[in-house]
Amino acid sequence: MTRRLAFLTAAVLGLAALSGTGPAGAAETPWQQAKGASARLVTAVDGTGTLNEIPAGLHIRLDPHWKTYWRSPGDAGLPPALDWKGSENLGTATLAYPAPHRFQLFGLETYGYETEVVFPLTLPVAQAGQPQHLALAATVLVCSDICIPANFNFALDLPAGAATPDPDAANLIDRYANTVPGDGAAAGLAIGPVMATTQGPNGGLRIEATAREPFAAPDIFVEGAPGDAFAAPRITTAEGGRRLVAEIDRIQSADDPPKSLSGTPVALTLVDGPRSVEAKATVGAAITATSGTAGWLGILGVALLGGLILNLMPCVLPVLSLKLLSIVKLGGVEAGTPRRQRLGLLATAAGIVASFLVLAGGAVALKAAGASVGWGIQFQEPVFLAAMAVIVTLFGANMLGLFEVVLPGRAMDAAARASGAGRPEQDGLTAPFLTGAFATLLATPCSAPFVGTALGFALSRGPLEIGAIFAALGLGMALPYLLIAAVPGLARLLPRPGRWMAWV
């Protein structure tokens, strides 16, 4: 319906551009004032002409700090009620709802609109070419500190003459019609699997969604069985912010005791700024404890493999030479790996794992603060990427010998003591530890295969799960160091130092 309405208003605009008749006179009622809001009925044309449907809108302006409600108002409120009794030559009128906003006050969550909204209307002409008389009694609940039903009564006549378009009215109606959630194709949004969860006393939902462009500020509204109520979603993203996983608790059940949501129909509305999508789905079966355990082992394996592959991603290439330098030293060892070299490898691995655990702590803190968390959101922010570009550029220029950083004498002495320079019998562990941390830092803008899947799963869970998945990622990235430290004989398979290192 909304696509048809948008098409109708676009056609009206096209007629206005072609006609060149100057300012048009759309049919509209005078503004009517009520406490908290004012309203009018407006159409995109001033006559029925040969149209089968008239694009129109219920235009509401809300006073500061007042709001009105969506079709599913949440914990309180009522949607608009329209009565067309007394209208003539009017078929069954339909009203569309623009994408809502979430309001949270005094522990209540409601969905609706503030400041201004136009509810797009499609008004069928029962007999084309005949005049149409519109009589509308509209009751709109508006709320601030108190809630008041605002009652409006409109009367509007559309003659049988030419349907002269009004660009201003048509643009207004079309602008709000385009915010009515559709199938998501134009917005590049899609809602994926919907599964039941067993978390909490009433259970909940786990919803996946994808976007052509990264999500910015997503929100999901759930409409279930009458009597069911759902909390605000806990949202995490992965794959550069283009994949979303939402965990939504059912805070009130229509049944006592609560029945499982598996197999029940739900309507889902995903809103992300100006983009939105609406979909109906049947909730999939909840994951059982057995399959959950197996699933966890699988996810940990995926995370381990994803961390290993991170070593080959372009984000880590600048530090690859450091890794080779630290490992290739062992290529010339004939009788096993000396203890100090093994400790250096273990220190590098510890630096990688410790850095991933720090990232896990940051993700847990952000999630606890209510922020949207995702490998693709925080680590692909323009400021972060710009800083990383500067660091990598300076790092590369330094390795090419374009400049040298000369530290003060005391700093040089401290660095020498930390690295064990001048004391062959004991290499310091600080430098290899920082090498591992630096490799992790360079890996953060990357999303290697399997990383997005593991993180998307982890970030929709609790702190322990997040820590476990991040630790598995770090362990996977540190695996080459651990293997050589555990099996010194692998060092003999590495190439000897030579001119090839300068080429790499």
Side-chain angles (χ1 to χ4, degrees):
M1 188 273 290
T2 56
R3 285 187 174 181
R4 186 169 65 248
L5 179 60
F7 175 79
L8 284 174
T9 52
V12 166
L13 289 172
L15 288 173
L18 291 174
S19 64
T21 56
E28 62 182 51
T29 65
W31 284 98
Q32 295 185 20
Q33 182 67 46
K35 185 174 179 61
S38 57
R40 66 170 178 162
L41 177 64
V42 59
T43 64
V45 294
D46 64 355
T48 58
T50 59
L51 298 177
N52 293 319
E53 295 177 336
I54 304 296
L58 177 59
H59 189 185
I60 298 175
R61 287 177 178 167
L62 297 150
D63 295 344
H65 311 299
W66 288 78
K67 62 181 180 292
T68 191
Y69 295 96
W70 188 46
R71 66 171 182 240
S72 179
D75 294 336
L78 291 170
L82 307 185
D83 184 359
W84 296 95
K85 184 179 180 180
S87 297
E88 299 175 2
N89 196 25
L90 175 66
T92 302
T94 54
L95 176 144
Y97 289 88
H101 302 280
R102 184 184 300 271
F103 303 104
Q104 295 178 320
L105 183 65
F106 303 128
L108 298 177
E109 290 197 358
T110 57
Y111 320 135
Y113 316 93
E114 59 184 352
T115 307
E116 182 179 31
V117 64
V118 175
F119 293 102
L121 299 166
T122 301
L123 309 178
V125 181
Q127 295 181 354
Q130 298 300 312
Q132 187 180 62
H133 173 70
L134 302 175
L136 172 61
T139 300
V140 181
L141 187 66
V142 293
C143 293
S144 180
D145 296 329
I146 58 173
C147 290
I148 299 173
N151 297 306
F152 304 99
N153 292 280
F154 305 108
L156 191 60
D157 287 299
L158 296 175
T164 306
D166 181 348
D168 290 338
N171 272 321
L172 176 68
I173 296 168
D174 189 53
R175 178 158 55 91
Y176 281 89
N178 285 329
T179 66
V180 175
D183 61 9
L189 299 176
I191 296 177
V194 182
M195 308 296 291
T197 66
T198 57
Q199 295 180 357
N202 299 310
L205 298 173
R206 182 180 186 272
I207 302 168
E208 296 184 19
T210 57
R212 186 169 53 235
E213 300 296 330
F215 287 104
D219 198 357
I220 297 181
F221 304 88
V222 180
E223 298 171 88
D228 279 351
F230 295 85
R234 299 184 299 276
I235 291 178
T236 58
T237 60
E239 299 178 8
R242 293 176 172 83
R243 180 175 176 271
L244 171 152
V245 176
E247 294 279 343
I248 304 177
D249 295 331
R250 181 170 58 172
I251 55 178
Q252 178 180 313
S253 174
D255 303 301
D256 188 16
K259 295 181 180 178
S260 171
L261 287 168
S262 299
T264 61
V266 292
L268 306 171
T269 301
L270 168 61
V271 180
D272 184 39
R275 305 183 298 174
S276 60
V277 60
E278 183 176 296
K280 294 182 178 179
T282 299
V283 180
I287 299 175
T288 63
T290 301
S291 62
T293 301
W296 253 110
L297 294 176
I299 286 294
L300 288 175
V302 167
L304 191 72
L305 182 58
L308 179 62
I309 295 176
L310 272 176
N311 286 283
L312 305 177
M313 298 303 291
C315 307
V316 190
L317 284 179
V319 82
L320 185 58
S321 60
L322 284 183
K323 292 185 176 183
L324 290 175
L325 283 171
S326 64
I327 298 176
V328 166
K329 290 179 183 178
L330 307 180
V333 177
E334 299 297 339
T337 305
R339 178 175 179 274
R340 61 178 181 272
Q341 293 173 329
R342 179 179 294 173
L343 289 176
L345 291 170
L346 294 176
T348 302
I352 293 173
V353 175
S355 299
F356 270 94
L357 291 178
V358 169
L359 292 175
V364 170
L366 286 172
K367 188 175 180 181
S372 293
V373 185
W375 190 265
I377 288 183
Q378 277 73 33
F379 297 137
Q380 292 193 9
E381 288 288 340
V383 174
F384 178 83
L385 291 179
M388 289 299 299
V390 171
I391 291 173
V392 172
T393 300
L394 294 176
F395 177 76
N398 177 259
M399 293 196 67
L400 290 172
L402 299 180
F403 72 92
E404 298 289 340
V405 178
V406 180
L407 298 176
R410 292 183 179 179
M412 292 288 287
D413 293 341
R417 286 194 299 271
S419 64
R423 292 172 294 166
E425 71 282 358
Q426 57 173 354
D427 285 347
L429 301 180
T430 302
F433 183 90
L434 294 178
T435 297
F438 186 55
T440 304
L441 178 66
L442 290 176
T444 51
C446 268
S447 182
F450 307 111
V451 171
T453 301
L455 289 179
F457 181 89
L459 294 175
S460 65
R461 265 58 180 182
L464 292 178
E465 291 91 339
I466 293 175
I469 293 295
F470 272 80
L473 283 167
L475 189 62
M477 189 171 173
L479 199 55
Y481 299 95
L482 296 175
L483 286 175
I484 294 179
V487 186
L490 292 176
R492 299 191 183 95
L493 302 179
L494 296 173
R496 305 277 181 166
R499 296 183 62 183
W500 66 270
M501 297 179 62
W503 181 79
V504 172

